[in-house]
Amino acid sequence: MENKRVELLAPAGSFEAMQAAYAAGADAVYIGGSMFGARAYAKNPDQDKLLEAIDYAHIREKKLYLTVNTLLKDQELEEVLYGYLKPLYERGLDAVIVQDLGVFQFIRTYFPGLPVHASTQMAITGANSAGLLEKMGVKRIVAARELSLSELSAIRAGTSLEIETFVHGAICYCYSGQCLFSSLAGGRSGNRGRCAQPCRKPYRVFDEKGRILNPEKDRQYVLSLKDMNTLRLLPQIIRAGVDSLKIEGRMKKTEYTAGVVSIYRKYLDRYMSGLDCAVSDEDEKRLYDLYNRNGFSQGYYKQHNSPDMLTLSEPGFRTLDDGWLCEIREKYIDRELKRKIKGNVIIYQHLPATITMTAGEASFCLTGDEPLPAKNRPLSREQLIKQMDRLGNTDFELDELDIQLEEGCFLTVAQINELRRSAVLGLRDEILRPYFRVASTGGKNEDMNQSDMKEWRPVYTAQVHTKAQLEAVLSQPDISAVYLDHTVAEPSEWAEAVERTHLAGKQCFYHMPQIFRKTQEVYYDEHLGDLFEAEFDGFLLGSLEAAAYLKSRNAGGMLVAAH
């Protein structure tokens, strides 16, 4: 049995969804703000509401992570990001989830106390890239959804970073962050938070001769994956070394968030307590009723690819169970989660009345007026209990109350209420104060002095995917460098391709595979001699894993970041 605390992380597409997620048992939520989040069409809270959300989480001993996981334009990075993050950083934001390495570097420079989580959109597929990010200062990686249990175990063995992985909800057909389908098909980029989900539409599939496959079905949902459900895999996922179990669904309804969280909370607690984790058919059905696309799959944890993961026919999203939905609303949406506190009241004649409120390590003590001698009706314990328990619109509920009351004392109801209100506000401040930070000044890059700019001229490069394209490019005098895709030539042909490119007066770079996993590592280890002997001028890299691999093998030449 693991001694570590495994986090249950929930989606929050709105402030209300955040509240419900905490009430249902989430340890943390991830939420987007008014900009730079990968779910631009969710009901993301504005800046003031985000500040309120941070306080709401911390009072309840929860965490809140902000999605800043789109790709930013230079102007946004230089002029907008600092002002957006500064008040959230100072309020105590627990972490930001980041895809853009420029955003990561910016945060490390101007907000060094803010933990950064590497988004799943970075496509972290192995221990090499995880180790590289650890050296850069990342606290947590959100692993690519395509990884198996054994690959997660390998990352755990190779790094001390926290590992977060998706356990429930929608899966992209493409590696997260690598898909340009929505951008190409409709001009709405997923990497700018505006994915139109073209993969959820029906398509005709043709073979190499142009014939429609399965003509009797005409169109099928061949790119639409079933939602993931790993409830039965939780013990194996935790044993693989995962620190945070992430539920997808910021675009889904609040009832979905609360219902899914409550069920995963139940089985996570069972596992961590050493109890039986066998999943009941009733709980499986409850997950199915909340949301599904023609059933569930267990994702990639135990399989690489499978037709069983596809919906194929038009997705039937849910089977409504009104009783289950009413239960969710009653337990987690209509009833707000409160922080339990302890109260201590001391009222003696000739001494100021004293109230102390305590929550965990935080405590606040307040003194008020001296009680008067009672003329008719002295203050009773019952009256004090009634007034002290009136915390309805606050973040708290009274769990314990200790009263030391001398007989014959009198305080008005207004005096008691004012003491209680002030003590509660003081306790609230004491709870939140340790989270507050002070940001450094500045944050906006100064305009570069034109006189300091060196003379420059445009350089043209070409990326080739076939031998025919390579031949065409070599005869173009304006092309100064060629990026040779890994699909163009066999290892035995690399040296010749480099030599011919150099003879044409151009540099030759090798484009490593966009996705780099164990299979690719084994392949390049087998052909490392060919790769180095070819004397490429450098490497074009589409993933951190490939970059870390080359560094670990002491590859020479320039490393160029791909788009």
Side-chain angles (χ1 to χ4, degrees):
M1 172 56 60
E2 290 78 2
N3 293 320
K4 69 175 183 179
R5 168 79 176 179
V6 177
E7 177 184 83
L8 182 59
L9 177 59
S14 66
F15 190 92
E16 293 71 26
M18 175 202 72
Q19 291 176 301
Y22 289 144
D27 299 303
V29 303
Y30 60 104
I31 193 169
S34 58
M35 57 184 72
F36 309 137
R39 291 293 182 269
Y41 300 115
K43 297 178 181 179
N44 300 310
D46 61 19
Q47 195 81 336
D48 289 342
K49 206 66 176 176
L50 267 181
L51 294 173
E52 183 183 341
I54 293 170
D55 289 349
Y56 188 95
H58 290 160
I59 287 171
R60 290 155 180 80
E61 299 181 284
K62 308 288 187 177
K63 292 185 178 181
L64 186 140
Y65 308 140
L66 181 69
T67 58
V68 189
N69 54 344
T70 58
L71 300 178
L72 270 64
K73 299 177 181 179
D74 288 348
Q75 184 177 4
E76 294 170 333
L77 191 65
E78 295 169 2
E79 300 179 7
V80 181
L81 185 59
Y82 182 84
Y84 176 60
L85 287 181
K86 182 176 182 289
L88 305 174
Y89 172 80
E90 293 186 326
R91 198 62 157 253
L93 179 66
D94 292 290
V96 285
I97 305 171
V98 168
Q99 173 189 189
D100 191 320
L101 288 176
V103 171
F104 166 72
Q105 188 58 44
F106 185 96
I107 292 170
R108 292 291 295 163
T109 300
Y110 296 108
F111 305 106
L114 182 58
V116 176
H117 298 176
S119 170
T120 190
Q121 292 163 293
M122 282 194 185
I124 305 304
T125 56
N128 290 323
S129 51
L132 182 62
L133 287 171
E134 185 174 13
K135 292 177 182 177
M136 293 167 63
V138 166
K139 181 181 180 182
R140 175 187 294 188
I141 60 165
V142 187
R145 287 180 237 206
E146 293 74 20
L147 299 190
S148 65
L149 289 169
S150 61
E151 287 174 304
L152 288 171
S153 295
I155 294 176
R156 173 76 292 148
T159 178
S160 59
L161 280 176
E162 294 178 5
I163 299 175
E164 175 182 308
T165 187
F166 283 91
V167 295
H168 194 92
I171 316 176
C172 294
Y173 187 88
C174 185
Y175 281 82
S176 301
Q178 308 298 305
C179 182
L180 300 176
F181 194 5
S182 179
S183 181
L184 292 171
R188 286 171 48 176
S189 172
N191 285 315
R192 294 285 289 173
R194 294 174 172 82
C195 179
Q197 296 191 317
C199 56
R200 301 301 182 187
K201 299 182 181 298
Y203 294 93
R204 291 189 179 97
V205 181
F206 298 85
D207 64 15
E208 66 277 3
K209 294 183 179 180
R211 297 171 300 192
I212 298 178
L213 297 176
N214 295 332
E216 69 280 1
K217 295 184 179 179
D218 191 29
R219 296 170 182 261
Q220 288 186 296
Y221 292 78
V222 292
L223 303 180
S224 178
L225 295 185
K226 296 175 182 177
D227 276 23
M228 176 168 46
N229 173 359
T230 66
L231 199 59
R232 297 181 187 275
L233 291 181
L234 283 191
Q236 297 176 58
I237 293 171
I238 295 170
R239 287 196 292 267
V242 171
D243 300 280
S244 179
L245 307 174
K246 187 171 192 174
I247 296 166
E248 182 277 338
R250 281 194 290 142
M251 297 295 290
K252 295 187 175 79
K253 293 184 177 180
T254 300
E255 289 85 351
Y256 166 88
T257 299
V260 173
V261 167
S262 68
I263 293 176
Y264 274 81
R265 177 82 269 163
K266 172 182 176 180
Y267 288 95
L268 176 57
D269 286 348
R270 282 188 180 181
Y271 176 75
M272 300 308 293
S273 300
L275 301 176
D276 179 22
C277 293
V279 178
S280 71
D281 292 339
E282 179 186 7
D283 286 332
E284 282 282 13
K285 183 180 184 302
R286 286 186 161 193
L287 288 176
Y288 188 92
D289 286 348
L290 282 170
Y291 198 95
N292 72 89
R293 289 182 168 93
N294 289 345
F296 291 114
S297 79
Q298 291 185 327
Y300 296 93
Y301 287 105
K302 301 187 75 172
Q303 64 181 352
H304 181 59
N305 288 313
S306 170
D308 292 338
M309 296 177 70
L310 296 169
T311 63
L312 292 180
S313 59
E314 184 172 2
F317 292 104
R318 60 175 62 83
T319 306
L320 290 176
D321 182 335
D322 290 339
W324 170 219
L325 293 179
C326 287
E327 182 181 335
I328 292 171
R329 294 188 189 106
E330 181 182 337
K331 283 186 175 180
Y332 311 121
I333 299 176
D334 297 336
R335 186 167 62 192
E336 184 180 1
L337 178 67
K338 303 278 189 175
R339 176 79 179 269
K340 294 182 183 298
I341 61 175
K342 298 178 181 179
N344 179 270
V345 181
I346 302 174
I347 299 177
Y348 285 102
Q349 292 188 31
H350 311 302
L351 292 173
T354 302
I355 290 182
T356 303
M357 294 290 198
T358 304
E361 298 296 321
S363 184
F364 185 79
C365 182
L366 182 69
T367 57
D369 299 326
E370 289 186 18
L372 298 173
K375 294 181 179 180
N376 298 314
R377 298 178 62 186
L379 186 63
S380 68
R381 293 178 61 86
E382 290 72 21
Q383 284 179 296
L384 275 175
I385 293 171
K386 179 180 178 181
Q387 297 308 126
M388 290 295 295
D389 202 30
R390 297 180 64 181
L391 301 174
N393 292 326
T394 71
D395 297 292
F396 306 104
E397 65 178 8
L398 199 59
D399 188 41
E400 295 181 22
L401 180 62
D402 180 47
I403 296 176
Q404 300 174 51
L405 174 63
E406 185 178 2
E407 292 184 4
C409 293
F410 176 78
L411 286 173
T412 66
V413 170
Q415 287 174 308
I416 298 171
N417 287 345
E418 180 58 31
L419 270 175
R420 184 199 67 240
R421 281 193 292 265
S422 298
V424 167
L425 289 175
L427 177 63
R428 189 178 191 276
D429 290 340
E430 288 298 314
I431 292 171
L432 294 176
R433 185 174 292 111
Y435 292 98
F436 295 162
R437 311 180 182 102
V438 177
S440 62
T441 58
K444 178 181 177 182
N445 297 338
E446 297 295 331
D447 292 333
M448 186 179 294
N449 191 321
Q450 294 294 324
S451 63
D452 294 336
M453 294 180 65
K454 298 179 180 179
E455 291 187 10
W456 65 277
R457 61 182 181 83
V459 174
Y460 298 99
T461 63
Q463 184 171 345
V464 298
H465 297 271
T466 65
K467 291 180 179 179
Q469 289 178 347
L470 177 60
E471 291 298 325
V473 164
L474 291 181
S475 63
Q476 299 299 315
D478 292 335
I479 301 296
S480 62
V482 176
Y483 296 129
L484 188 75
D485 193 81
H486 64 95
T487 60
V488 173
E490 296 297 323
S492 60
E493 302 172 308
W494 288 340
E496 180 186 355
V498 172
E499 182 180 5
R500 295 188 63 231
T501 306
H502 286 168
L503 288 173
K506 310 175 192 305
Q507 289 183 305
C508 188
F509 292 81
Y510 184 82
H511 185 196
M512 298 290 284
Q514 189 79 3
I515 298 298
F516 201 89
R517 293 169 71 175
K518 189 64 179 179
T519 301
Q520 287 73 32
E521 181 176 323
V522 171
Y523 174 82
Y524 284 100
D525 276 345
E526 290 176 354
H527 300 288
L528 207 56
D530 295 315
L531 194 66
F532 290 171
E533 289 170 11
E535 297 186 342
F536 284 99
D537 296 287
F539 299 89
L540 182 66
L541 305 168
S543 73
L544 289 173
E545 187 66 21
Y549 169 80
L550 290 172
K551 287 178 67 70
S552 70
R553 302 307 191 269
N554 299 314
M558 183 187 301
L559 301 183
V560 180
H563 62 79

